[in-house]
C-alpha cells in the first residue's frame, strides 16, 4: 500500500468551483478512511518485527495528512472545505485514531487571536484576496493573517511575492525557493525556511540540496557571500561582490538572474524581520504548530511547555494596574504635543544644511548605542544553519572601532531615480511592483494615533522611515534628524533596531514595551515601514556608480527594448501592468472595519 501525504491531491481544494472542491474532498475522505482502516488493522494484528518500519512510515504519513486537514479546517477561506475537513478529522477520531490539535493561540504569539480577523468572518472583498492567496500557495499563512490588518499593503505584498516566486522570470522555480531558504536562514528564521523547503520540494527541487549549502550547485554556493553581507552588513558591498558572480566562468550569473536573486534575498531578509517582529507562530500543519497529545485540564501538556508550545504568555512589561494605562495615555499625549511643537518650529525657522548634516552624524553615532539589555547571541539550529556558511558572521554597527564608512546620500544613489529603471530593464514589471510596495508602506495611514482620530501622522512615519535608513548610513539632505530623538523613544528604537538588524533576538517583552497605548494593528503598521530595509539595501547592490550592473546590457532572458534614458523608461513603466498577475478585482476599503490604525 502506497503510504504518505503525496498520495493525496490537494490542488482541487484550491479551486473556486464548488463542484471541483466537492470531488476533491470526497477523494481525500476516501484516502483518509482507507489509511485509518489500515492502521486499525495493524494495531489489532500481531505484526512481525520486520513490519515495524512500514507501520512507522504509515503512521508518519497519516499524521502529516491529518495535520494538513487540521490546517484546512482552520485556515481555508472556503467554508465547505473547512467544514468537511473538520468532519473527516472527527470521523477518524471516532475510529480510534488520535487526531492533532493546534498549539498556541492564533497566527501571532504577540497579538491576541480575538483581536485579529477570523477566517470565515471576512467580507466579500477580503474573501477574494484570501481565495487568491490560497489558490496560489495552497495555504492561508500566518503572515497573511497578520498583515491583513492593512489590506492595501497585503495586496501589494502578495502580488510582489507571487510574481517573484511563480511568474515568468530569469530563475527556475526551484532556484527561487532555494534562495528564499538561504536568505531566511541567515536570520535564523525557521518559519520561512520550513515553508520554502516544502515549496522547493513541491516544484521538483533536489532533496539532496537540503542537506546543506555544500550540496547545492556551485552557482548557488557562490551566492552565499553576497547573501551574508546583504543580510548583516550591506554597507560593505563592493563592485567586486557583483563582478565575482558575473565572471565565475561556467558558474557565472547573467545580469537578469542576479537582479532576480538580489530582489529575492532582500525580500526574504525583510520578511524574516516581519516574521520575528510580529511574533508569527508556526503554521498549524508544520512542526510546532500542532500536537497529537490530548489537552490537559489546564489546556496544555507539560511536554508542550518544555518545547515552548504552550498557552502561558511571556511575562509582560511590569505594570501597576491602572497606573500603567495612565502612563501610556500620557505618552501618547506627549508624543502628539511634540509633533505639534516640531511642526511649529519648522514653520518659524529651518535648520541650515550644515546643522542638518551634523544632526545626522549625531543620530548615526547614537544608533550604535541602542541595544537591548538581553542582547545575547542566538545559536542557529542545525536545520537552519546548514543552509548558509560562516555562522558567526552577523550585524556589526558600521561606524564602530573607528572604521569610517562614507554616508550615502539618497539624492546621489536612490531607488527612485536609479534602481527602479535598472530593475525594470532586467526583470520587467518587478520594478513597478517593488515601487508600489515602497510607496504604500510609506504613505499608508488611517490618520489615527491610539484613541485619537484625524491626526496627521506623516511626521512620525517619516521619522521611523529615516531612522531605519540612518542605521545603514543613508541620509536625506532635506530632513532634520534632530526630530528622531524627539519622536522615537528608546524602547521603540531598541525594538526597531532589533527587528531590522538582528530580528532573531526580538522578544515579546520588546514588543510590549513600546507604544503601549497603541493598538496591535498600529504596531503592525510600523512593520510596513520596517520593510524600508529592502529599499535601504537595494541601492547598495544596484545603484552604486562603480557597479558593473550599470555598464552592461541585459542578459539573454529579457529584451533591451526599454534601454535608453532612465527617466523616460521609468515614465513608460509607470503605467499599470498587472495583466500578468491574477486579477483580484478588489476595491480596497479606505479604512478596514475590523481595525483602526494610524
Amino acid at each position: 500500500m502506497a503510504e504518505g501525504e503525496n498520495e493525496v491531491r490537494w490542488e482541487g481544494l484550491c479551486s473556486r468551483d464548488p463542484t471541483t472542491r466537492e470531488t476533491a474532498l470526497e477523494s481525500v475522505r476516501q484516502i483518509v478512511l482507507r489509511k485509518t482502516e489500515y492502521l486499525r488493522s495493524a494495531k489489532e494484528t500481531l505484526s512481525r518485527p520486520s513490519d515495524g518500519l512500514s507501520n512507522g512510515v504509515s503512521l508518519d504519513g497519516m499524521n502529516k495528512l491529518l495535520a494538513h486537514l487540521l490546517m484546512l479546517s482552520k485556515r481555508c477561506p472556503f467554508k465547505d472545505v473547512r467544514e468537511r475537513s473538520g468532519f473527516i478529522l472527527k470521523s477518524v477520531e471516532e475510529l480510534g485514531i488520535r487526531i492533532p490539535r493546534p498549539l498556541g493561540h492564533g497566527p501571532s504569539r504577540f497579538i491576541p487571536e480575538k483581536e485579529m480577523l477570523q477566517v470565515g468572518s471576512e467580507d466579500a472583498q477580503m474573501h477574494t484576496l484570501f481565495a487568491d492567496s490560497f489558490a496560489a500557495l495552497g495555504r492561508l499563512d500566518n503572515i497573511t493573517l497578520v498583515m491583513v490588518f492593512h489590506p492595501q499593503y497585503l495586496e501589494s505584498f502578495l502580488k510582489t511575492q507571487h510574481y517573484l516566486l511563480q511568474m515568468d522570470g530569469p530563475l527556475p522555480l526551484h532556484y527561487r525557493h532555494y534562495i528564499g531558504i538561504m536568505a531566511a536562514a541567515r536570520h535564523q528564521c525557521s518559519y520561512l525556511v520550513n515553508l520554502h523547503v516544502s515549496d522547493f520540494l513541491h516544484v521538483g527541487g533536489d532533496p539532496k540540496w537540503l542537506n546543506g549549502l555544500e550540496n547545492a550547485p556551485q552557482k548557488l554556493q557562490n551566492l552565499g557571500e553576497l547573501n551574508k553581507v546583504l543580510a548583516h552588513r550591506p554597507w560593505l558591498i563592493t563592485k567586486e561582490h557583483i563582478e565575482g558572480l558575473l565572471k565565475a566562468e561556467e558558474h557565472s550569473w547573467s545580469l537578469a538572474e542576479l537582479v532576480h536573486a538580489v530582489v529575492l534575498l532582500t525580500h526574504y531578509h525583510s520578511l524574516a524581520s516581519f516574521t520575528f517582529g510580529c511574533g508569527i507562530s508556526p503554521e498549524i500543519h508544520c512542526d510546532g504548530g500542532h500536537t497529537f497529545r490530548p489537552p490537559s485540564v489546564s489546556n496544555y501538556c507539560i511536554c508542550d511547555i518544555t518545547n515552548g508550545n504552550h498557552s502561558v504568555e511571556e511575562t509582560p512589561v511590569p505594570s501597576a494596574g491602572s497606573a500603567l494605562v495612565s502612563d501610556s495615555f500620557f505618552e501618547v499625549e506627549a508624543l502628539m504635543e511634540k509633533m505639534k511643537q516640531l511642526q511649529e518650529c519648522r514653520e518659524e525657522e529651518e535648520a541650515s544644511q550644515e546643522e542638518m548634516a551634523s544632526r545626522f552624524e549625531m543620530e548615526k553615532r547614537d544608533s550604535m548605542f541602542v541595544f537591548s539589555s538581553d542582547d545575547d547571541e542566538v545559536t542557529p539550529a542545525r536545520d537552519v544553519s546548514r543552509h548558509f556558511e560562516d555562522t558567526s558572521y552577523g550585524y556589526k554597527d558600521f561606524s564602530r572601532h573607528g572604521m569610517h564608512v562614507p554616508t550615502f546620500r539618497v539624492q546621489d544613489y536612490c531607488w527612485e531615480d536609479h534602481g527602479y529603471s535598472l530593475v525594470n530593464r532586467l526583470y520587467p514589471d518587478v520594478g513597478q511592483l517593488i515601487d508600489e510596495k515602497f510607496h504604500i508602506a510609506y504613505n499608508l495611514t488611517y490618520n489615527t494615533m491610539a484613541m485619537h482620530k484625524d491626526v496627521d501622522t506623516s511626521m512620525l512615519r517619516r521619522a521611523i522611515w529615516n531612522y531605519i535608513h540612518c542605521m545603514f548610513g543613508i541620509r536625506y539632505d532635506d530632513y532634520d534628524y534632530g526630530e528622531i530623538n524627539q519622536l522615537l523613544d528608546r524602547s521603540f528604537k531598541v525594538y526597531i533596531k532589533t527587528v531590522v538588524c538582528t530580528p532573531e533576538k526580538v522578544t515579546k517583552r520588546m514588543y510590549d514595551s513600546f507604544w503601549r497605548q497603541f493598538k496591535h494593528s498600529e504596531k503592525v503598521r510600523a512593520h510596513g515601514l520596517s520593510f524600508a530595509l529592502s529599499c535601504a539595501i537595494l541601492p547598495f547592490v544596484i545603484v552604486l556608480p562603480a557597479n558593473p550592473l550599470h555598464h552592461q546590457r541585459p542578459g539573454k532572458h529579457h529584451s533591451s527594448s526599454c534601454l535608453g534614458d532612465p527617466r523616460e523608461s521609468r515614465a513608460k513603466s509607470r503605467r499599470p501592468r498587472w495583466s500578468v498577475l491574477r486579477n483580484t478585482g478588489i476595491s480596497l476599503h479606505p479604512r478596514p472595519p475590523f481595525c483602526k490604525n494610524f
Side-chain angles (χ1 to χ4, degrees):
M1 176 176 177
E3 296 296 336
E5 191 186 10
N6 292 336
E7 184 182 344
V8 181
R9 309 301 299 175
W10 304 104
E11 291 83 356
L13 303 182
C14 300
S15 173
R16 292 179 177 275
D17 177 35
T19 303
T20 301
R21 295 199 301 270
E22 175 62 29
T23 302
L25 282 165
E26 179 58 25
S27 174
V28 170
R29 187 187 72 84
Q30 291 179 10
I31 292 172
V32 170
L33 292 180
R34 187 167 67 248
K35 288 175 176 288
T36 301
E37 290 298 332
Y38 175 80
L39 289 175
R40 287 184 68 195
S41 63
K43 277 185 176 182
E44 295 169 357
T45 303
L46 190 60
S47 301
R48 297 188 306 273
S50 60
D51 292 336
L53 179 61
S54 63
N55 288 338
V57 172
S58 171
L59 182 60
D60 181 66
M62 183 65 169
N63 286 346
K64 289 181 179 179
L65 196 159
L66 295 177
H68 200 105
L69 281 171
L70 177 66
M71 179 272 289
L72 292 173
S73 72
K74 303 291 184 181
R75 295 285 191 263
C76 182
F78 302 117
K79 184 179 180 180
D80 56 339
V81 175
R82 290 198 306 273
E83 292 179 346
R84 285 291 299 277
S85 297
F87 175 78
I88 295 172
L89 286 171
K90 187 176 180 180
S91 300
V92 170
E93 186 177 35
E94 291 173 348
L95 291 173
I97 302 298
R98 183 172 290 177
I99 64 172
R101 60 182 177 86
L103 283 173
H105 290 279
S108 168
R109 294 179 291 108
F110 297 170
I111 306 172
E113 189 172 15
K114 64 183 179 181
E115 297 190 29
M116 304 183 70
L117 180 65
Q118 303 299 308
V119 177
S121 64
E122 70 274 9
D123 62 22
Q125 293 171 324
M126 188 54 61
H127 177 77
T128 302
L129 186 56
F130 279 0
D132 282 341
S133 179
F134 189 79
L137 300 172
R139 59 180 181 264
L140 199 56
D141 60 38
N142 289 336
I143 287 177
T144 297
L145 294 174
V146 171
M147 207 178 283
V148 77
F149 277 122
H150 305 285
Q152 186 182 6
Y153 185 81
L154 173 60
E155 182 189 18
S156 176
F157 167 81
L158 290 175
K159 281 180 180 178
T160 303
Q161 185 164 269
H162 177 73
Y163 195 98
L164 290 174
L165 293 177
Q166 296 178 278
M167 299 301 290
D168 185 32
L171 294 174
L173 297 183
H174 63 299
Y175 264 56
R176 304 181 197 191
H177 289 292
Y178 197 83
I179 291 171
I181 293 170
M182 291 173 62
R186 276 276 21 148
H187 281 309
Q188 304 175 34
C189 187
S190 57
Y191 171 87
L192 290 175
V193 168
N194 291 336
L195 284 184
H196 285 280
V197 163
S198 175
D199 292 339
F200 171 78
L201 295 173
H202 182 72
V203 297
D206 187 345
K208 293 180 181 178
W209 297 11
L210 301 177
N211 293 329
L213 184 58
E214 67 277 7
N215 295 289
Q218 187 62 47
K219 184 172 181 176
L220 284 168
Q221 293 184 44
N222 293 345
L223 193 65
E225 181 69 17
L226 182 62
N227 178 32
K228 177 179 76 175
V229 182
L230 268 176
H232 305 298
R233 307 176 198 176
W235 52 88
L236 298 180
I237 295 280
T238 66
K239 68 175 183 178
E240 283 73 24
H241 287 100
I242 306 302
E243 287 178 339
L245 293 169
L246 295 174
K247 301 177 181 179
E249 298 179 354
E250 70 270 22
H251 304 300
S252 65
W253 293 71
S254 74
L255 289 169
E257 287 174 335
L258 187 54
V259 167
H260 193 172
V262 167
V263 174
L264 282 168
L265 290 174
T266 55
H267 176 80
Y268 280 101
H269 293 157
S270 298
L271 194 56
S273 292
F274 185 92
T275 299
F276 283 115
C278 289
I280 301 297
S281 302
E283 295 298 325
I284 291 177
H285 62 296
C286 295
D287 290 343
H290 64 274
T291 180
F292 282 86
R293 294 182 179 273
S296 66
V297 175
S298 57
N299 201 35
Y300 57 86
C301 301
I302 191 66
C303 57
D304 293 336
I305 298 177
T306 58
N307 290 326
N309 299 315
H310 54 88
S311 59
V312 178
E313 295 293 333
E314 186 177 336
T315 304
V317 176
S319 67
S322 59
L324 177 61
V325 176
S326 177
D327 289 345
S328 58
F329 173 81
F330 286 116
E331 286 175 4
V332 177
E333 298 296 315
L335 177 57
M336 292 185 64
E337 181 61 27
K338 287 179 182 177
M339 291 167 59
K340 180 180 177 182
Q341 292 174 358
L342 288 172
Q343 185 60 45
E344 292 172 351
C345 290
R346 278 182 180 178
E347 295 171 355
E348 291 176 4
E349 60 177 330
E350 185 174 330
S352 66
Q353 282 294 317
E354 292 76 13
E355 179 64 21
M356 287 198 287
S358 175
R359 292 174 183 175
F360 169 78
E361 294 298 331
M362 185 180 300
E363 185 60 46
K364 190 169 68 171
R365 284 195 306 273
D366 289 348
S367 71
M368 293 190 316
F369 304 103
V370 174
F371 57 89
S372 169
S373 58
D374 54 352
D375 191 19
D376 299 324
E377 290 298 320
V378 178
T379 303
R382 168 60 186 161
D383 62 335
V384 171
S385 64
R386 63 187 172 194
H387 298 299
F388 64 92
E389 299 170 332
D390 195 358
T391 57
S392 63
Y393 192 93
Y395 173 81
K396 298 292 183 185
D397 286 300
F398 59 87
S399 51
R400 280 190 177 179
H401 310 301
M403 181 177 64
H404 175 70
V405 176
T407 294
F408 290 86
R409 298 169 67 251
V410 169
Q411 286 76 2
D412 294 335
Y413 320 119
C414 71
W415 164 260
E416 189 77 12
D417 295 327
H418 304 89
Y420 176 93
S421 59
L422 182 63
V423 170
N424 254 20
R425 293 178 196 179
L426 300 172
Y427 191 9
D429 294 305
V430 169
Q432 173 72 31
L433 288 163
I434 297 173
D435 195 59
E436 180 192 66
K437 185 159 70 83
F438 290 160
H439 280 79
I440 290 175
Y442 185 83
N443 295 309
L444 184 63
T445 180
Y446 305 105
N447 298 310
T448 66
M449 282 180 60
M451 72 294 294
H452 298 280
K453 300 179 180 179
D454 301 320
V455 180
D456 181 359
T457 62
S458 57
M459 183 178 291
L460 179 60
R461 284 182 282 123
R462 191 175 186 192
I464 299 170
W465 181 275
N466 288 358
Y467 179 64
I468 294 171
H469 283 70
C470 179
M471 285 189 288
F472 292 94
I474 300 173
R475 179 192 167 203
Y476 290 80
D477 284 351
D478 60 346
Y479 183 70
D480 182 356
Y481 284 83
E483 293 184 1
I484 289 178
N485 278 334
Q486 297 291 316
L487 299 176
L488 308 183
D489 62 20
R490 186 182 183 281
S491 63
F492 184 83
K493 284 185 172 182
V494 167
Y495 177 73
I496 285 295
K497 182 175 181 179
T498 307
V499 165
V500 171
C501 301
T502 53
E504 64 277 5
K505 297 180 181 179
V506 173
T507 65
K508 188 174 187 297
R509 181 179 293 274
M510 289 182 193
Y511 178 88
D512 289 337
S513 68
F514 81 96
W515 287 5
R516 290 178 293 174
Q517 192 66 16
F518 284 63
K519 298 177 178 64
H520 290 288
S521 52
E522 292 173 310
K523 292 189 175 190
V524 173
R525 163 71 184 84
H527 280 287
L529 290 175
S530 75
F531 263 91
L533 175 61
S534 294
C535 188
I537 288 179
L538 278 172
F540 283 102
V541 188
I542 294 175
V543 305
L544 290 178
N547 195 324
L549 289 174
H550 276 287
H551 305 291
Q552 301 185 42
R553 298 178 68 84
K556 61 183 179 181
H557 298 279
H558 294 290
S559 141
S560 59
S561 60
C562 58
L563 286 173
D565 183 81
R567 297 187 181 184
E568 179 182 350
S569 65
R570 186 173 190 277
K572 291 178 180 178
S573 299
R574 274 295 189 184
R575 292 191 294 270
R577 300 168 69 181
W578 303 132
S579 58
V580 294
L581 296 175
R582 186 180 183 87
N583 182 12
T584 62
I586 294 176
S587 175
L588 292 169
H589 292 296
R591 180 173 180 168
F594 53 88
C595 67
K596 300 176 181 178
N597 312 79
F598 73 100

